[in-house]
Amino acid sequence: MSKATRATKALEQAGVAFTVHSYDYDPGADKVGLQAAEALGEPPQRVLKTLMALVDGKPVCVIVPSDREVSMKKLAAAFGGKSAQMMKPPEAERLTGYKVGGISPFGQMRRIATALEEQALAHELVYLNGGQRGLQLRMRPADLVSALNAITAPVIA
């Protein structure tokens, strides 16, 4: 597995401090984020999952703890929209350039508005997908927000 991905290159170019952590990705896992947390020996609240959604038909990226679900109502409100829905996996892959299970908020094919669940800010360090299945990046949540120009909002159900 390569440790250099579009995500790691984007963070390096932005001067963001992060560490790379590999684990054995299980394609049969019911919940990929929870499997990553268990493999890394981390609480699921610190291992964040990157999801792609549509708010009023426009693509957005939403980052939440791996053990939580997104509230579509709260997500729409966070972006000033009326409705939200999850993006279909083939569309998410085409838009981001990453495979589902390996979607990173960094280094996507184009810049997309991003929301981070505000509870993530309570942790000193969090993990996010590094752009490849089985690859996680550990970093400060504040660095994540600044690197992505993300909004923070209550978006979990």
Side-chain angles (χ1 to χ4, degrees):
M1 170 187 320
S2 171
K3 303 249 197 263
T5 65
R6 285 194 330 271
T8 60
K9 289 175 186 165
L11 287 169
E12 286 168 357
Q13 284 180 334
V16 175
F18 65 95
T19 56
V20 177
H21 303 266
S22 300
Y23 69 96
D24 290 329
Y25 175 81
D26 177 5
D30 283 343
K31 306 236 181 215
V32 174
L34 290 176
Q35 191 250 328
E38 187 177 316
L40 294 166
E42 291 288 339
Q45 306 90 319
R46 285 188 46 195
V47 180
L48 308 178
K49 59 186 174 183
T50 304
L51 303 170
M52 302 305 294
L54 298 167
V55 172
D56 294 344
K58 293 186 178 80
V60 298
C61 179
V62 58
I63 304 166
V64 298
S66 60
D67 63 341
R68 302 302 298 267
E69 298 298 323
V70 177
S71 162
M72 292 300 133
K73 191 174 187 173
K74 290 178 182 178
L75 180 63
F79 285 106
K82 290 185 170 80
S83 68
Q85 66 187 54
M86 293 308 296
M87 195 179 284
K88 291 185 176 19
E91 189 179 351
E93 290 180 346
R94 182 184 51 75
L95 188 69
T96 64
Y98 293 120
K99 294 276 181 217
V100 168
I103 293 179
S104 177
F106 307 106
Q108 293 187 3
M109 299 304 274
R110 67 182 180 126
R111 193 83 173 212
I112 295 172
T114 302
L116 172 67
E117 166 52 44
E118 65 184 9
Q119 291 180 9
L121 296 173
H123 301 286
E124 186 179 339
L125 296 167
V126 294
Y127 292 79
L128 292 106
N129 195 288
Q132 199 171 326
R133 294 170 176 167
L135 190 70
Q136 292 280 313
L137 307 177
R138 186 176 71 178
M139 62 192 309
R140 293 182 28 222
D143 291 341
L144 177 164
V145 171
S146 65
L148 295 170
N149 197 23
I151 62 168
T152 56
V155 295
I156 55 176

